Amino acid sequence: MIQEKFKFYKPCKLLQPYIRYYWVFKSNRPLDAFTYPIGCPQIIFHKQTPLYIPELNVTQHKLTISGQVNFSSHLYADGNTEMIVVVFQPHAMSMFLNIPTSLFYNREVSGYDIENKSLNELATRIFDCENNSICISYIEKWLVSQIADNLADTTYRIKRIDAAIQRIYITPQISVNELSSIACLSKKQFERLFHSFVGINPKEYTRIVRFQKA
């Protein structure tokens, strides 16, 4: 019997400025999908067979950090798929991993390679748990714990980049000079901070938003 389930979860109120949503996908049939850049980095937990991305000639790891991408791609699976995905707000992933998001640009990186002990422990709990709603609660507890450790050091920078991103959503044609003014930073400072937090330069990001609106 062919079965396929797709479910979205909304983050708790505390996490909504940093997490866009979670989604869970289960399927026992082969997957062949074409995807477009969404402008948000992700952490992916594959409880069964990971996905293959031919454009990168890579198979995702069971724990994958997926950075910003500037190209469309195919996703393939052999028909035994179960995955839980954390979709971050464009600028937020680095505050949970303590690594610039720019390091994951156009890459699918094993989460184990960054040697984050608490993330590895979370992955173990996810892979040992059959109930995906409980898995989401584990993920939320981990995310909240990371906020407690990191928010004080990044709040003011996060707010400046978030203000620029919100303006991009409203006016995707906006110039980098205007964005840097909104963030109250010099153009050079803004571009450096945007690239570190969002993982892609401002011009590329505005192109992704324009494409999505089109």
Side-chain angles (χ1 to χ4, degrees):
M1 181 179 178
I2 294 177
Q3 294 183 338
E4 190 169 288
K5 295 181 180 179
F6 206 145
K7 186 173 182 179
F8 284 87
Y9 294 81
K10 184 178 180 179
C12 67
K13 187 174 181 179
L14 176 64
L15 291 172
Q16 287 174 17
Y18 316 107
I19 308 300
R20 182 164 286 186
Y21 51 81
Y22 316 101
W23 57 271
V24 175
F25 177 68
K26 295 178 67 173
S27 178
N28 62 2
R29 64 180 182 179
L31 174 69
D32 180 357
F34 189 67
T35 66
Y36 299 94
I38 65 170
C40 297
Q42 304 168 80
I43 295 179
I44 304 167
F45 301 88
H46 285 289
K47 301 178 80 171
Q48 296 193 50
T49 306
L51 304 179
Y52 173 67
I53 303 172
E55 288 80 3
L56 296 174
N57 191 28
V58 66
T59 298
Q60 292 179 332
H61 197 273
K62 63 185 298 186
L63 171 60
T64 291
I65 300 172
S66 183
Q68 294 279 7
V69 298
N70 63 356
F71 60 90
S72 302
S73 63
H74 293 80
L75 302 175
Y76 292 109
D78 65 3
N80 191 27
T81 306
E82 183 175 0
M83 55 196 293
I84 301 173
V85 182
V86 182
V87 181
F88 291 88
Q89 298 290 0
H91 57 290
M93 188 170 75
S94 63
M95 67 173 288
F96 295 95
L97 299 181
N98 293 315
I99 297 176
T101 305
S102 54
L103 296 178
F104 305 103
Y105 176 58
N106 281 344
R107 298 178 65 198
E108 305 287 324
V109 177
S110 168
Y112 297 108
D113 287 347
I114 68 172
E115 299 181 349
N116 184 316
K117 182 180 179 182
S118 66
L119 178 60
N120 294 350
E121 291 172 348
L122 172 65
T124 298
R125 298 187 75 185
I126 297 297
F127 298 139
D128 287 344
C129 179
E130 294 185 2
N131 186 315
N132 286 328
S133 294
I134 294 176
C135 290
I136 296 296
S137 70
Y138 290 159
I139 291 169
E140 291 229 307
K141 288 178 182 177
W142 179 78
L143 291 167
V144 169
S145 73
Q146 301 308 297
I147 284 182
D149 292 339
N150 302 321
L151 189 58
D153 294 333
T154 59
T155 297
Y156 78 98
R157 291 178 292 173
I158 284 278
K159 287 183 176 179
R160 292 184 182 208
I161 298 304
D162 180 54
I165 289 172
Q166 295 307 316
R167 181 58 64 88
I168 291 171
Y169 290 156
I170 297 170
T171 313
Q173 298 81 9
I174 193 169
S175 70
V176 176
N177 284 332
E178 290 176 286
L179 289 171
S180 62
S181 178
I182 290 168
C184 300
L185 295 166
S186 70
K187 181 181 177 184
K188 187 174 182 180
Q189 288 176 317
F190 172 73
E191 289 179 319
R192 182 175 67 250
L193 200 61
F194 191 98
H195 188 254
S196 176
F197 275 95
V198 182
I200 195 169
N201 70 53
K203 285 186 177 180
E204 283 185 293
Y205 190 77
T206 57
R207 284 198 291 269
I208 290 172
V209 175
R210 287 199 300 270
F211 176 81
Q212 291 173 340
K213 284 182 172 288

